[in-house]
mmCIF file with all atom_site columns, all heavy atoms in Angstrom:
data_model
loop_
_atom_site.group_PDB
_atom_site.id
_atom_site.type_symbol
_atom_site.label_atom_id
_atom_site.label_alt_id
_atom_site.label_comp_id
_atom_site.label_asym_id
_atom_site.label_entity_id
_atom_site.label_seq_id
_atom_site.pdbx_PDB_ins_code
_atom_site.Cartn_x
_atom_site.Cartn_y
_atom_site.Cartn_z
_atom_site.occupancy
_atom_site.B_iso_or_equiv
_atom_site.pdbx_formal_charge
_atom_site.auth_seq_id
_atom_site.auth_comp_id
_atom_site.auth_asym_id
_atom_site.auth_atom_id
_atom_site.pdbx_PDB_model_num
ATOM 1   N N   . GLU K 1 37 ? 11.389 -1.256 16.088  1.00 96.00 ? 335 GLU K N   1
ATOM 2   C CA  . GLU K 1 37 ? 11.937 0.092  15.962  1.00 96.00 ? 335 GLU K CA  1
ATOM 3   C C   . GLU K 1 37 ? 13.449 0.066  15.603  1.00 96.00 ? 335 GLU K C   1
ATOM 4   O O   . GLU K 1 37 ? 13.946 1.041  15.123  1.00 96.00 ? 335 GLU K O   1
ATOM 5   C CB  . GLU K 1 37 ? 11.738 0.834  17.145  1.00 96.00 ? 335 GLU K CB  1
ATOM 6   C CG  . GLU K 1 37 ? 12.529 0.414  18.374  1.00 96.00 ? 335 GLU K CG  1
ATOM 7   C CD  . GLU K 1 37 ? 12.216 1.277  19.614  1.00 96.00 ? 335 GLU K CD  1
ATOM 8   O OE1 . GLU K 1 37 ? 11.639 2.278  19.535  1.00 96.00 ? 335 GLU K OE1 1
ATOM 9   O OE2 . GLU K 1 37 ? 12.731 0.829  20.756  1.00 96.00 ? 335 GLU K OE2 1
ATOM 10  N N   . ASP K 1 38 ? 14.070 -0.969 15.752  1.00 96.00 ? 336 ASP K N   1
ATOM 11  C CA  . ASP K 1 38 ? 15.545 -1.153 15.536  1.00 96.00 ? 336 ASP K CA  1
ATOM 12  C C   . ASP K 1 38 ? 15.970 -1.685 14.112  1.00 96.00 ? 336 ASP K C   1
ATOM 13  O O   . ASP K 1 38 ? 17.181 -1.848 13.888  1.00 96.00 ? 336 ASP K O   1
ATOM 14  C CB  . ASP K 1 38 ? 16.285 -1.959 16.571  1.00 96.00 ? 336 ASP K CB  1
ATOM 15  C CG  . ASP K 1 38 ? 15.864 -3.382 16.614  1.00 96.00 ? 336 ASP K CG  1
ATOM 16  O OD1 . ASP K 1 38 ? 14.895 -3.729 15.896  1.00 96.00 ? 336 ASP K OD1 1
ATOM 17  O OD2 . ASP K 1 38 ? 16.539 -4.091 17.367  1.00 96.00 ? 336 ASP K OD2 1
ATOM 18  N N   . VAL K 1 39 ? 14.972 -1.730 13.167  1.00 97.00 ? 337 VAL K N   1
ATOM 19  C CA  . VAL K 1 39 ? 15.432 -2.130 11.832  1.00 97.00 ? 337 VAL K CA  1
ATOM 20  C C   . VAL K 1 39 ? 16.185 -0.953 11.111  1.00 97.00 ? 337 VAL K C   1
ATOM 21  O O   . VAL K 1 39 ? 16.050 0.151  11.511  1.00 97.00 ? 337 VAL K O   1
ATOM 22  C CB  . VAL K 1 39 ? 14.086 -2.518 10.926  1.00 97.00 ? 337 VAL K CB  1
ATOM 23  C CG1 . VAL K 1 39 ? 13.471 -3.728 11.611  1.00 97.00 ? 337 VAL K CG1 1
ATOM 24  C CG2 . VAL K 1 39 ? 13.180 -1.379 10.713  1.00 97.00 ? 337 VAL K CG2 1
ATOM 25  N N   . SER K 1 40 ? 16.902 -1.447 10.067  1.00 97.00 ? 338 SER K N   1
ATOM 26  C CA  . SER K 1 40 ? 17.691 -0.513 9.364   1.00 97.00 ? 338 SER K CA  1
ATOM 27  C C   . SER K 1 40 ? 16.891 0.310  8.286   1.00 97.00 ? 338 SER K C   1
ATOM 28  O O   . SER K 1 40 ? 15.760 -0.163 7.905   1.00 97.00 ? 338 SER K O   1
ATOM 29  C CB  . SER K 1 40 ? 18.914 -1.167 8.702   1.00 97.00 ? 338 SER K CB  1
ATOM 30  O OG  . SER K 1 40 ? 18.386 -2.227 7.848   1.00 97.00 ? 338 SER K OG  1
ATOM 31  N N   . ILE K 1 41 ? 17.383 1.455  7.871   1.00 97.00 ? 339 ILE K N   1
ATOM 32  C CA  . ILE K 1 41 ? 16.727 2.247  6.825   1.00 97.00 ? 339 ILE K CA  1
ATOM 33  C C   . ILE K 1 41 ? 16.804 1.305  5.481   1.00 97.00 ? 339 ILE K C   1
ATOM 34  O O   . ILE K 1 41 ? 17.733 0.586  5.283   1.00 97.00 ? 339 ILE K O   1
ATOM 35  C CB  . ILE K 1 41 ? 17.665 3.412  6.564   1.00 97.00 ? 339 ILE K CB  1
ATOM 36  C CG1 . ILE K 1 41 ? 17.745 4.264  7.778   1.00 97.00 ? 339 ILE K CG1 1
ATOM 37  C CG2 . ILE K 1 41 ? 17.012 4.241  5.363   1.00 97.00 ? 339 ILE K CG2 1
ATOM 38  C CD1 . ILE K 1 41 ? 16.499 4.918  8.318   1.00 97.00 ? 339 ILE K CD1 1
ATOM 39  N N   . GLY K 1 42 ? 15.643 1.330  4.879   1.00 97.00 ? 340 GLY K N   1
ATOM 40  C CA  . GLY K 1 42 ? 15.535 0.387  3.663   1.00 97.00 ? 340 GLY K CA  1
ATOM 41  C C   . GLY K 1 42 ? 14.846 -0.867 3.909   1.00 97.00 ? 340 GLY K C   1
ATOM 42  O O   . GLY K 1 42 ? 14.548 -1.493 3.028   1.00 97.00 ? 340 GLY K O   1
ATOM 43  N N   . HIS K 1 43 ? 14.724 -1.178 5.199   1.00 98.00 ? 341 HIS K N   1
ATOM 44  C CA  . HIS K 1 43 ? 14.121 -2.483 5.551   1.00 98.00 ? 341 HIS K CA  1
ATOM 45  C C   . HIS K 1 43 ? 12.625 -2.683 4.894   1.00 98.00 ? 341 HIS K C   1
ATOM 46  O O   . HIS K 1 43 ? 11.803 -1.691 5.010   1.00 98.00 ? 341 HIS K O   1
ATOM 47  C CB  . HIS K 1 43 ? 14.018 -2.643 7.090   1.00 98.00 ? 341 HIS K CB  1
ATOM 48  C CG  . HIS K 1 43 ? 13.273 -3.821 7.631   1.00 98.00 ? 341 HIS K CG  1
ATOM 49  N ND1 . HIS K 1 43 ? 13.886 -5.050 7.732   1.00 98.00 ? 341 HIS K ND1 1
ATOM 50  C CD2 . HIS K 1 43 ? 11.968 -4.029 8.007   1.00 98.00 ? 341 HIS K CD2 1
ATOM 51  C CE1 . HIS K 1 43 ? 13.068 -5.913 8.115   1.00 98.00 ? 341 HIS K CE1 1
ATOM 52  N NE2 . HIS K 1 43 ? 11.907 -5.386 8.372   1.00 98.00 ? 341 HIS K NE2 1
ATOM 53  N N   . LEU K 1 44 ? 12.359 -3.817 4.384   1.00 97.00 ? 342 LEU K N   1
ATOM 54  C CA  . LEU K 1 44 ? 11.115 -4.172 3.759   1.00 97.00 ? 342 LEU K CA  1
ATOM 55  C C   . LEU K 1 44 ? 10.034 -4.329 4.787   1.00 97.00 ? 342 LEU K C   1
ATOM 56  O O   . LEU K 1 44 ? 10.309 -5.424 5.661   1.00 97.00 ? 342 LEU K O   1
ATOM 57  C CB  . LEU K 1 44 ? 11.228 -5.313 2.824   1.00 97.00 ? 342 LEU K CB  1
ATOM 58  C CG  . LEU K 1 44 ? 9.939  -5.805 2.110   1.00 97.00 ? 342 LEU K CG  1
ATOM 59  C CD1 . LEU K 1 44 ? 9.385  -4.639 1.159   1.00 97.00 ? 342 LEU K CD1 1
ATOM 60  C CD2 . LEU K 1 44 ? 10.183 -7.002 1.263   1.00 97.00 ? 342 LEU K CD2 1
ATOM 61  N N   . VAL K 1 45 ? 9.073  -3.666 4.797   1.00 97.00 ? 343 VAL K N   1
ATOM 62  C CA  . VAL K 1 45 ? 8.026  -3.812 5.876   1.00 97.00 ? 343 VAL K CA  1
ATOM 63  C C   . VAL K 1 45 ? 6.713  -4.637 5.245   1.00 97.00 ? 343 VAL K C   1
ATOM 64  O O   . VAL K 1 45 ? 6.230  -5.551 5.921   1.00 97.00 ? 343 VAL K O   1
ATOM 65  C CB  . VAL K 1 45 ? 7.567  -2.494 6.429   1.00 97.00 ? 343 VAL K CB  1
ATOM 66  C CG1 . VAL K 1 45 ? 6.372  -2.670 7.423   1.00 97.00 ? 343 VAL K CG1 1
ATOM 67  C CG2 . VAL K 1 45 ? 8.716  -1.690 7.018   1.00 97.00 ? 343 VAL K CG2 1
ATOM 68  N N   . LEU K 1 46 ? 6.440  -4.337 4.127   1.00 96.00 ? 344 LEU K N   1
ATOM 69  C CA  . LEU K 1 46 ? 5.185  -4.876 3.623   1.00 96.00 ? 344 LEU K CA  1
ATOM 70  C C   . LEU K 1 46 ? 5.241  -4.910 2.064   1.00 96.00 ? 344 LEU K C   1
ATOM 71  O O   . LEU K 1 46 ? 5.685  -3.854 1.414   1.00 96.00 ? 344 LEU K O   1
ATOM 72  C CB  . LEU K 1 46 ? 3.981  -4.042 4.069   1.00 96.00 ? 344 LEU K CB  1
ATOM 73  C CG  . LEU K 1 46 ? 2.659  -4.380 3.614   1.00 96.00 ? 344 LEU K CG  1
ATOM 74  C CD1 . LEU K 1 46 ? 2.121  -5.760 4.268   1.00 96.00 ? 344 LEU K CD1 1
ATOM 75  C CD2 . LEU K 1 46 ? 1.716  -3.278 4.169   1.00 96.00 ? 344 LEU K CD2 1
ATOM 76  N N   . THR K 1 47 ? 4.709  -5.883 1.361   1.00 95.00 ? 345 THR K N   1
ATOM 77  C CA  . THR K 1 47 ? 4.469  -5.762 -0.027  1.00 95.00 ? 345 THR K CA  1
ATOM 78  C C   . THR K 1 47 ? 3.003  -5.854 -0.334  1.00 95.00 ? 345 THR K C   1
ATOM 79  O O   . THR K 1 47 ? 2.274  -6.732 0.080   1.00 95.00 ? 345 THR K O   1
ATOM 80  C CB  . THR K 1 47 ? 5.200  -7.039 -0.628  1.00 95.00 ? 345 THR K CB  1
ATOM 81  O OG1 . THR K 1 47 ? 6.599  -6.869 -0.430  1.00 95.00 ? 345 THR K OG1 1
ATOM 82  C CG2 . THR K 1 47 ? 5.040  -6.965 -2.260  1.00 95.00 ? 345 THR K CG2 1
ATOM 83  N N   . LEU K 1 48 ? 2.478  -4.981 -1.244  1.00 95.00 ? 346 LEU K N   1
ATOM 84  C CA  . LEU K 1 48 ? 1.209  -4.904 -1.732  1.00 95.00 ? 346 LEU K CA  1
ATOM 85  C C   . LEU K 1 48 ? 1.231  -5.173 -3.178  1.00 95.00 ? 346 LEU K C   1
ATOM 86  O O   . LEU K 1 48 ? 2.100  -4.752 -3.954  1.00 95.00 ? 346 LEU K O   1
ATOM 87  C CB  . LEU K 1 48 ? 0.617  -3.528 -1.441  1.00 95.00 ? 346 LEU K CB  1
ATOM 88  C CG  . LEU K 1 48 ? 0.433  -3.012 -0.059  1.00 95.00 ? 346 LEU K CG  1
ATOM 89  C CD1 . LEU K 1 48 ? 1.764  -2.398 0.442   1.00 95.00 ? 346 LEU K CD1 1
ATOM 90  C CD2 . LEU K 1 48 ? -0.624 -2.073 0.169   1.00 95.00 ? 346 LEU K CD2 1
ATOM 91  N N   . VAL K 1 49 ? 0.278  -5.967 -3.680  1.00 93.00 ? 347 VAL K N   1
ATOM 92  C CA  . VAL K 1 49 ? 0.074  -6.285 -5.086  1.00 93.00 ? 347 VAL K CA  1
ATOM 93  C C   . VAL K 1 49 ? -1.255 -5.680 -5.651  1.00 93.00 ? 347 VAL K C   1
ATOM 94  O O   . VAL K 1 49 ? -2.290 -5.760 -5.087  1.00 93.00 ? 347 VAL K O   1
ATOM 95  C CB  . VAL K 1 49 ? 0.064  -7.823 -5.187  1.00 93.00 ? 347 VAL K CB  1
ATOM 96  C CG1 . VAL K 1 49 ? -0.011 -8.177 -6.659  1.00 93.00 ? 347 VAL K CG1 1
ATOM 97  C CG2 . VAL K 1 49 ? 1.491  -8.257 -4.689  1.00 93.00 ? 347 VAL K CG2 1
ATOM 98  N N   . VAL K 1 50 ? -1.145 -5.171 -6.843  1.00 91.00 ? 348 VAL K N   1
ATOM 99  C CA  . VAL K 1 50 ? -2.406 -4.934 -7.565  1.00 91.00 ? 348 VAL K CA  1
ATOM 100 C C   . VAL K 1 50 ? -2.606 -5.939 -8.808  1.00 91.00 ? 348 VAL K C   1
ATOM 101 O O   . VAL K 1 50 ? -1.642 -6.393 -9.231  1.00 91.00 ? 348 VAL K O   1
ATOM 102 C CB  . VAL K 1 50 ? -2.513 -3.482 -8.138  1.00 91.00 ? 348 VAL K CB  1
ATOM 103 C CG1 . VAL K 1 50 ? -2.384 -2.414 -7.028  1.00 91.00 ? 348 VAL K CG1 1
ATOM 104 C CG2 . VAL K 1 50 ? -1.341 -3.178 -9.109  1.00 91.00 ? 348 VAL K CG2 1
ATOM 105 N N   . ASN K 1 51 ? -3.963 -6.180 -8.943  1.00 89.00 ? 349 ASN K N   1
ATOM 106 C CA  . ASN K 1 51 ? -4.263 -7.059 -10.009 1.00 89.00 ? 349 ASN K CA  1
ATOM 107 C C   . ASN K 1 51 ? -5.092 -6.328 -11.110 1.00 89.00 ? 349 ASN K C   1
ATOM 108 O O   . ASN K 1 51 ? -5.706 -5.338 -10.800 1.00 89.00 ? 349 ASN K O   1
ATOM 109 C CB  . ASN K 1 51 ? -5.130 -8.294 -9.515  1.00 89.00 ? 349 ASN K CB  1
ATOM 110 C CG  . ASN K 1 51 ? -4.290 -9.075 -8.500  1.00 89.00 ? 349 ASN K CG  1
ATOM 111 O OD1 . ASN K 1 51 ? -3.303 -9.479 -8.734  1.00 89.00 ? 349 ASN K OD1 1
ATOM 112 N ND2 . ASN K 1 51 ? -4.933 -9.504 -7.545  1.00 89.00 ? 349 ASN K ND2 1
ATOM 113 N N   . GLY K 1 52 ? -4.987 -6.722 -12.371 1.00 85.00 ? 350 GLY K N   1
ATOM 114 C CA  . GLY K 1 52 ? -5.835 -6.044 -13.403 1.00 85.00 ? 350 GLY K CA  1
ATOM 115 C C   . GLY K 1 52 ? -5.214 -6.002 -14.689 1.00 85.00 ? 350 GLY K C   1
ATOM 116 O O   . GLY K 1 52 ? -4.268 -6.814 -14.938 1.00 85.00 ? 350 GLY K O   1
ATOM 117 N N   . SER K 1 53 ? -5.552 -5.041 -15.417 1.00 76.00 ? 351 SER K N   1
ATOM 118 C CA  . SER K 1 53 ? -5.241 -4.949 -16.785 1.00 76.00 ? 351 SER K CA  1
ATOM 119 C C   . SER K 1 53 ? -3.950 -4.247 -17.066 1.00 76.00 ? 351 SER K C   1
ATOM 120 O O   . SER K 1 53 ? -3.475 -4.211 -18.152 1.00 76.00 ? 351 SER K O   1
ATOM 121 C CB  . SER K 1 53 ? -6.418 -4.193 -17.622 1.00 76.00 ? 351 SER K CB  1
ATOM 122 O OG  . SER K 1 53 ? -6.500 -2.844 -17.042 1.00 76.00 ? 351 SER K OG  1
ATOM 123 N N   . SER K 1 54 ? -3.215 -3.802 -15.937 1.00 75.00 ? 352 SER K N   1
ATOM 124 C CA  . SER K 1 54 ? -1.982 -3.102 -16.251 1.00 75.00 ? 352 SER K CA  1
ATOM 125 C C   . SER K 1 54 ? -0.900 -3.627 -15.290 1.00 75.00 ? 352 SER K C   1
ATOM 126 O O   . SER K 1 54 ? -1.145 -3.814 -14.085 1.00 75.00 ? 352 SER K O   1
ATOM 127 C CB  . SER K 1 54 ? -2.075 -1.595 -15.888 1.00 75.00 ? 352 SER K CB  1
ATOM 128 O OG  . SER K 1 54 ? -0.918 -0.891 -16.070 1.00 75.00 ? 352 SER K OG  1
ATOM 129 N N   . ASN K 1 55 ? 0.380  -3.912 -15.767 1.00 75.00 ? 353 ASN K N   1
ATOM 130 C CA  . ASN K 1 55 ? 1.454  -4.294 -15.063 1.00 75.00 ? 353 ASN K CA  1
ATOM 131 C C   . ASN K 1 55 ? 2.314  -3.209 -14.891 1.00 75.00 ? 353 ASN K C   1
ATOM 132 O O   . ASN K 1 55 ? 3.349  -3.329 -14.006 1.00 75.00 ? 353 ASN K O   1
ATOM 133 C CB  . ASN K 1 55 ? 2.233  -5.490 -15.722 1.00 75.00 ? 353 ASN K CB  1
ATOM 134 C CG  . ASN K 1 55 ? 1.442  -6.792 -15.484 1.00 75.00 ? 353 ASN K CG  1
ATOM 135 O OD1 . ASN K 1 55 ? 0.689  -6.911 -14.620 1.00 75.00 ? 353 ASN K OD1 1
ATOM 136 N ND2 . ASN K 1 55 ? 1.629  -7.740 -16.354 1.00 75.00 ? 353 ASN K ND2 1
ATOM 137 N N   . ASP K 1 56 ? 2.076  -2.020 -15.392 1.00 84.00 ? 354 ASP K N   1
ATOM 138 C CA  . ASP K 1 56 ? 2.932  -0.821 -15.399 1.00 84.00 ? 354 ASP K CA  1
ATOM 139 C C   . ASP K 1 56 ? 2.205  0.239  -14.467 1.00 84.00 ? 354 ASP K C   1
ATOM 140 O O   . ASP K 1 56 ? 1.392  0.917  -14.894 1.00 84.00 ? 354 ASP K O   1
ATOM 141 C CB  . ASP K 1 56 ? 3.208  -0.236 -16.748 1.00 84.00 ? 354 ASP K CB  1
ATOM 142 C CG  . ASP K 1 56 ? 4.140  0.877  -16.693 1.00 84.00 ? 354 ASP K CG  1
ATOM 143 O OD1 . ASP K 1 56 ? 4.932  1.088  -15.694 1.00 84.00 ? 354 ASP K OD1 1
ATOM 144 O OD2 . ASP K 1 56 ? 4.102  1.642  -17.771 1.00 84.00 ? 354 ASP K OD2 1
#
Side-chain angles (χ1 to χ4, degrees):
E335 69 179 352
D336 64 349
V337 298
S338 59
I339 304 296
H341 176 81
L342 177 63
V343 178
L344 180 66
T345 299
L346 298 86
V347 177
V348 294
N349 298 318
S351 60
S352 178
N353 286 332
D354 187 16

